[in-house]
Amino acid sequence: MCLAHGLRRAGVDVAVYERDRTRATGLHGYRVGIDPHGSRALKACLPPELYRTFVATCAKPPERFAFLDEHLRRTLTITLREPTDDVNDEKSVSRMTLRQVLFTAMEDVLHFDKTFIRYRHEPDGRVTACFADGTSDTGDVLVGADGVNSPVRRQRLPHARLEDAGIVAVAAKVPMTLESTSLMPEGLFPGIGLVLAPRGMACILHWMEFPWAADGRPKAGIGSSDRELLAAWPGLLFDNTRDYLNWGLSASTDKFPADVMQRSGADLVRLVTAMTPRWDARLHRLFALTDASTCFPINIRTSVRVDPWPTDNVTLLGDAIHTMTPGQGVGANTALRDAHNLVRALTSGRPVLDALRDYERDMIEYGFKAVEASKRQTGGDQLVHRPVLGRVALAAQRTFLRATDRIPLLKRRFEAGLYEVRGTET
Ligand SMILES: Cc1cc2nc3c(=O)[nH]c(=O)nc-3n(C[C@H](O)[C@H](O)[C@H](O)COP(=O)(O)OP(=O)(O)OC[C@H]3O[C@@H](n4cnc5c(N)ncnc54)[C@H](O)[C@@H]3O)c2cc1C
């Protein structure tokens, strides 16, 4: 959708085909962190008012990032920099809300309930996309932005492979109430908590507080221009997002029962509680307060690097070509970066195939670099998942985090690395 906005603003004729039946269907997960790379792409591609709506619909920005142990004791706290502008900061957004923003004012080019199945090249070189309902559409370029199981990729690059990262995650939402918020360590929120625990278990905690109330009306106390933007934005009619805490527990696949991917709801919440017997009672209470209907398992996969391929007029972006583990929280941001680069290439005035070749050359480089860095951070083959060595690795990790918390030079280095990955301008 970011690509479609950017191309359309540049006067290119675009059509988007989405398999979801309506703009509000599908479970696309809960929270996504948008970093400066992602914001820069959105700002460049979206109409200015829609970009402002995107900013106005984000949750309260995270002010800190804290590493915790399983007793909710902090090992390292990073205070995130104050935003310098509406791009150079960390944003927390609900995936459903971001989708609603991106669908806004695109009704005439967006076709729902269209499942892509294959493409073919026409004698004049143009490309036709065929859909499961028997319809098709022909254009000069086809971009597969169809996610991890991309049928466009399977046809275009049949040799491209995905592998299991050896990690399973379970994610869920807890309604934000006085009780649920009081369970978290003081001063953690608004922010992000990451529990690193024995047996390679990790649990991410996100605070998602929106500028609209349970009845969907803009809350009192938010700026008047944001109030006006929200009141005028038709997307709020389709958005079902209310304040929540989002938790996501992950561990290597062997720590979960073999049938974890078939489990759901309350069963999964019970499983997570049983897997963490020595964790703090506040975390167990948080699990107990979970809206069980929101709980689902994810088998984390990662793309295997593909060598550059001969360019034609079918290309790929985002997870369709470089799926990555959530280790660095940059998968969506890299997809947005692709969209921005592709808009620039296709509107540069150069011959289309030259533009696509340059786009693919750069995208393969930074995309797979991000895949590999994410896997190093969250992969089932990491030392922390091993039976005995894992304890040693966790102890070393905690010592490093505590030392970094106390020694300003180390902390500055740690922060600089974090900001560099996320494209922050300093
Ligand atoms: C637990 C978890 C946490 C994450 N957190 C972050 C984070 O904080 N920050 C971050 O940057 N990234 C994060 N990511 C990664 C991020 O979710 C993905 O990288 C991102 O969604 C990829 O976007 P995409 O547009 O390429 O694909 P998708 O978001 O998967 O979108 C693909 C679209 O194509 C449609 N589609 C699929 N098949 C077809 C078809 N055959 N025909 C028509 N339409 C089709 C789908 O319905 C969907 O709308 C996380 C991932 C996980 C698993």
Side-chain angles (χ1 to χ4, degrees), residues 51-80:
Y51 183 76
R52 285 202 300 278
T53 305
F54 157 67
V55 175
T57 53
C58 288
K60 215 175 229 183
E63 290 171 11
R64 56 197 67 81
F65 182 26
F67 290 85
L68 307 156
D69 67 13
E70 68 278 21
H71 304 291
L72 292 177
R73 291 179 299 225
R74 294 181 200 216
T75 46
L76 167 64
T77 307
I78 302 289
T79 303
L80 297 172

Short mmCIF file of all heavy atoms in Angstrom, two decimals, residues 51-80:
data_model
loop_
_atom_site.label_atom_id
_atom_site.label_comp_id
_atom_site.label_asym_id
_atom_site.label_seq_id
_atom_site.Cartn_x
_atom_site.Cartn_y
_atom_site.Cartn_z
N TYR A 51 -0.13 11.13 6.09
CA TYR A 51 1.02 10.88 6.96
C TYR A 51 0.73 11.45 8.35
O TYR A 51 1.00 10.80 9.37
CB TYR A 51 2.32 11.47 6.39
CG TYR A 51 3.48 11.11 7.29
CD1 TYR A 51 4.02 9.83 7.26
CD2 TYR A 51 4.00 12.02 8.21
CE1 TYR A 51 5.05 9.46 8.12
CE2 TYR A 51 5.03 11.66 9.07
CZ TYR A 51 5.55 10.38 9.01
OH TYR A 51 6.55 10.01 9.89
N ARG A 52 0.12 12.64 8.40
CA ARG A 52 -0.20 13.23 9.71
C ARG A 52 -1.22 12.35 10.44
O ARG A 52 -1.17 12.18 11.66
CB ARG A 52 -0.74 14.66 9.55
CG ARG A 52 0.36 15.67 9.20
CD ARG A 52 -0.05 17.10 9.58
NE ARG A 52 -1.25 17.53 8.88
CZ ARG A 52 -1.27 18.01 7.63
NH1 ARG A 52 -0.15 18.14 6.95
NH2 ARG A 52 -2.40 18.37 7.07
N THR A 53 -2.16 11.77 9.67
CA THR A 53 -3.13 10.86 10.29
C THR A 53 -2.42 9.63 10.84
O THR A 53 -2.71 9.16 11.95
CB THR A 53 -4.21 10.44 9.27
OG1 THR A 53 -4.81 11.62 8.74
CG2 THR A 53 -5.28 9.57 9.91
N PHE A 54 -1.46 9.10 10.09
CA PHE A 54 -0.66 7.96 10.59
C PHE A 54 -0.01 8.32 11.93
O PHE A 54 -0.11 7.56 12.90
CB PHE A 54 0.40 7.57 9.55
CG PHE A 54 1.57 6.83 10.12
CD1 PHE A 54 1.42 5.56 10.65
CD2 PHE A 54 2.84 7.41 10.16
CE1 PHE A 54 2.50 4.87 11.20
CE2 PHE A 54 3.93 6.74 10.71
CZ PHE A 54 3.75 5.46 11.24
N VAL A 55 0.60 9.49 11.99
CA VAL A 55 1.28 9.89 13.24
C VAL A 55 0.24 10.03 14.37
O VAL A 55 0.46 9.57 15.49
CB VAL A 55 2.07 11.20 13.05
CG1 VAL A 55 2.68 11.68 14.36
CG2 VAL A 55 3.19 11.00 12.01
N ALA A 56 -0.91 10.62 14.02
CA ALA A 56 -1.94 10.84 15.05
C ALA A 56 -2.57 9.54 15.54
O ALA A 56 -3.12 9.49 16.63
CB ALA A 56 -3.03 11.76 14.49
N THR A 57 -2.47 8.47 14.76
CA THR A 57 -3.12 7.21 15.15
C THR A 57 -2.14 6.24 15.83
O THR A 57 -2.52 5.12 16.17
CB THR A 57 -3.75 6.50 13.94
OG1 THR A 57 -2.76 6.37 12.93
CG2 THR A 57 -4.94 7.26 13.40
N CYS A 58 -0.89 6.66 16.00
CA CYS A 58 0.06 5.79 16.72
C CYS A 58 -0.29 5.78 18.20
O CYS A 58 -0.91 6.70 18.71
CB CYS A 58 1.48 6.32 16.54
SG CYS A 58 2.12 6.06 14.89
N ALA A 59 0.16 4.71 18.87
CA ALA A 59 0.00 4.66 20.33
C ALA A 59 0.99 5.66 20.94
O ALA A 59 1.88 6.16 20.25
CB ALA A 59 0.29 3.26 20.83
N LYS A 60 0.79 5.92 22.24
CA LYS A 60 1.73 6.81 22.94
C LYS A 60 3.16 6.34 22.65
O LYS A 60 3.44 5.15 22.79
CB LYS A 60 1.45 6.70 24.45
CG LYS A 60 1.64 7.99 25.18
CD LYS A 60 1.21 7.80 26.61
CE LYS A 60 0.28 8.93 27.00
NZ LYS A 60 -0.13 8.89 28.38
N PRO A 61 4.06 7.23 22.25
CA PRO A 61 5.40 6.74 21.86
C PRO A 61 6.16 6.13 23.04
O PRO A 61 6.07 6.63 24.16
CB PRO A 61 6.10 8.00 21.35
CG PRO A 61 5.30 9.15 21.80
CD PRO A 61 3.92 8.68 22.12
N PRO A 62 6.91 5.05 22.78
CA PRO A 62 7.70 4.47 23.87
C PRO A 62 8.78 5.46 24.33
O PRO A 62 9.43 6.07 23.51
CB PRO A 62 8.33 3.23 23.23
CG PRO A 62 8.23 3.43 21.75
CD PRO A 62 7.10 4.37 21.50
N GLU A 63 8.90 5.59 25.65
CA GLU A 63 9.92 6.53 26.18
C GLU A 63 11.17 5.79 26.62
O GLU A 63 12.22 6.39 26.79
CB GLU A 63 9.33 7.32 27.36
CG GLU A 63 8.29 8.32 26.88
CD GLU A 63 7.52 8.98 28.02
OE1 GLU A 63 7.93 8.84 29.20
OE2 GLU A 63 6.49 9.62 27.71
N ARG A 64 11.02 4.49 26.89
CA ARG A 64 12.21 3.74 27.29
C ARG A 64 12.12 2.29 26.84
O ARG A 64 11.04 1.79 26.51
CB ARG A 64 12.42 3.81 28.81
CG ARG A 64 11.28 3.34 29.65
CD ARG A 64 11.40 3.81 31.07
NE ARG A 64 11.26 5.26 31.15
CZ ARG A 64 10.09 5.90 31.17
NH1 ARG A 64 8.96 5.22 31.11
NH2 ARG A 64 10.02 7.21 31.23
N PHE A 65 13.28 1.65 26.84
CA PHE A 65 13.38 0.25 26.46
C PHE A 65 14.14 -0.43 27.59
O PHE A 65 15.29 -0.08 27.85
CB PHE A 65 14.11 0.15 25.12
CG PHE A 65 14.22 -1.25 24.59
CD1 PHE A 65 13.30 -2.23 24.94
CD2 PHE A 65 15.24 -1.61 23.72
CE1 PHE A 65 13.40 -3.53 24.44
CE2 PHE A 65 15.35 -2.90 23.21
CZ PHE A 65 14.43 -3.85 23.58
N ALA A 66 13.47 -1.35 28.30
CA ALA A 66 14.13 -1.95 29.47
C ALA A 66 14.29 -3.46 29.30
O ALA A 66 13.36 -4.14 28.85
CB ALA A 66 13.31 -1.67 30.72
N PHE A 67 15.48 -3.94 29.63
CA PHE A 67 15.70 -5.39 29.71
C PHE A 67 15.40 -5.80 31.15
O PHE A 67 15.84 -5.13 32.09
CB PHE A 67 17.15 -5.72 29.37
CG PHE A 67 17.49 -5.50 27.92
CD1 PHE A 67 17.85 -4.24 27.46
CD2 PHE A 67 17.42 -6.54 27.01
CE1 PHE A 67 18.17 -4.02 26.13
CE2 PHE A 67 17.73 -6.33 25.67
CZ PHE A 67 18.10 -5.07 25.22
N LEU A 68 14.67 -6.90 31.31
CA LEU A 68 14.24 -7.34 32.64
C LEU A 68 14.62 -8.81 32.81
O LEU A 68 14.81 -9.53 31.83
CB LEU A 68 12.72 -7.22 32.76
CG LEU A 68 12.11 -5.85 32.41
CD1 LEU A 68 10.66 -6.01 32.01
CD2 LEU A 68 12.23 -4.90 33.58
N ASP A 69 14.65 -9.25 34.09
CA ASP A 69 14.75 -10.70 34.28
C ASP A 69 13.35 -11.24 34.57
O ASP A 69 12.37 -10.48 34.56
CB ASP A 69 15.80 -11.04 35.36
CG ASP A 69 15.37 -10.58 36.75
OD1 ASP A 69 14.18 -10.22 36.94
OD2 ASP A 69 16.23 -10.59 37.65
N GLU A 70 13.26 -12.53 34.86
CA GLU A 70 11.92 -13.14 35.00
C GLU A 70 11.24 -12.72 36.31
O GLU A 70 10.08 -13.06 36.55
CB GLU A 70 11.99 -14.67 34.86
CG GLU A 70 12.71 -15.42 35.98
CD GLU A 70 14.24 -15.41 35.83
OE1 GLU A 70 14.79 -14.54 35.13
OE2 GLU A 70 14.86 -16.30 36.45
N HIS A 71 11.97 -11.99 37.17
CA HIS A 71 11.34 -11.42 38.37
C HIS A 71 11.05 -9.94 38.18
O HIS A 71 10.81 -9.22 39.14
CB HIS A 71 12.27 -11.64 39.59
CG HIS A 71 12.61 -13.07 39.78
ND1 HIS A 71 11.66 -13.99 40.17
CD2 HIS A 71 13.77 -13.76 39.58
CE1 HIS A 71 12.24 -15.21 40.21
NE2 HIS A 71 13.49 -15.08 39.85
N LEU A 72 11.09 -9.50 36.94
CA LEU A 72 10.81 -8.12 36.53
C LEU A 72 11.81 -7.12 37.10
O LEU A 72 11.50 -5.95 37.29
CB LEU A 72 9.35 -7.72 36.87
CG LEU A 72 8.28 -8.45 36.06
CD1 LEU A 72 6.87 -8.05 36.52
CD2 LEU A 72 8.42 -8.16 34.57
N ARG A 73 13.02 -7.61 37.42
CA ARG A 73 14.08 -6.68 37.83
C ARG A 73 14.80 -6.20 36.57
O ARG A 73 15.06 -7.00 35.67
CB ARG A 73 15.09 -7.40 38.74
CG ARG A 73 14.50 -7.74 40.09
CD ARG A 73 15.52 -8.46 40.94
NE ARG A 73 15.93 -9.71 40.33
CZ ARG A 73 16.05 -10.87 40.97
NH1 ARG A 73 15.79 -10.95 42.25
NH2 ARG A 73 16.44 -11.96 40.34
N ARG A 74 15.09 -4.91 36.55
CA ARG A 74 15.74 -4.36 35.35
C ARG A 74 17.21 -4.69 35.33
O ARG A 74 17.88 -4.61 36.35
CB ARG A 74 15.64 -2.84 35.36
CG ARG A 74 14.24 -2.34 35.21
CD ARG A 74 14.31 -0.84 35.20
NE ARG A 74 13.00 -0.33 35.55
CZ ARG A 74 12.48 0.75 35.02
NH1 ARG A 74 13.16 1.45 34.14
NH2 ARG A 74 11.29 1.16 35.39
N THR A 75 17.72 -5.03 34.14
CA THR A 75 19.16 -5.19 33.99
C THR A 75 19.74 -4.00 33.22
O THR A 75 20.84 -3.56 33.50
CB THR A 75 19.51 -6.52 33.29
OG1 THR A 75 18.68 -6.66 32.16
CG2 THR A 75 19.31 -7.69 34.22
N LEU A 76 18.98 -3.50 32.25
CA LEU A 76 19.45 -2.33 31.48
C LEU A 76 18.23 -1.52 31.06
O LEU A 76 17.24 -2.09 30.58
CB LEU A 76 20.22 -2.79 30.23
CG LEU A 76 20.52 -1.73 29.16
CD1 LEU A 76 21.45 -0.63 29.70
CD2 LEU A 76 21.18 -2.37 27.93
N THR A 77 18.29 -0.21 31.25
CA THR A 77 17.21 0.66 30.78
C THR A 77 17.78 1.71 29.84
O THR A 77 18.72 2.42 30.22
CB THR A 77 16.53 1.38 31.97
OG1 THR A 77 16.12 0.40 32.92
CG2 THR A 77 15.30 2.17 31.51
N ILE A 78 17.23 1.78 28.67
CA ILE A 78 17.63 2.81 27.71
C ILE A 78 16.50 3.83 27.63
O ILE A 78 15.34 3.46 27.38
CB ILE A 78 17.81 2.20 26.29
CG1 ILE A 78 18.84 1.07 26.27
CG2 ILE A 78 18.12 3.28 25.25
CD1 ILE A 78 20.27 1.51 26.45
N THR A 79 16.83 5.09 27.90
CA THR A 79 15.83 6.14 27.73
C THR A 79 15.88 6.59 26.28
O THR A 79 16.93 7.02 25.80
CB THR A 79 16.13 7.31 28.69
OG1 THR A 79 16.16 6.77 30.01
CG2 THR A 79 15.07 8.40 28.59
N LEU A 80 14.77 6.42 25.59
CA LEU A 80 14.78 6.75 24.16
C LEU A 80 14.80 8.25 23.98
O LEU A 80 14.21 9.00 24.77
CB LEU A 80 13.56 6.13 23.47
CG LEU A 80 13.53 4.59 23.52
CD1 LEU A 80 12.22 4.04 22.99
CD2 LEU A 80 14.69 4.00 22.72
#
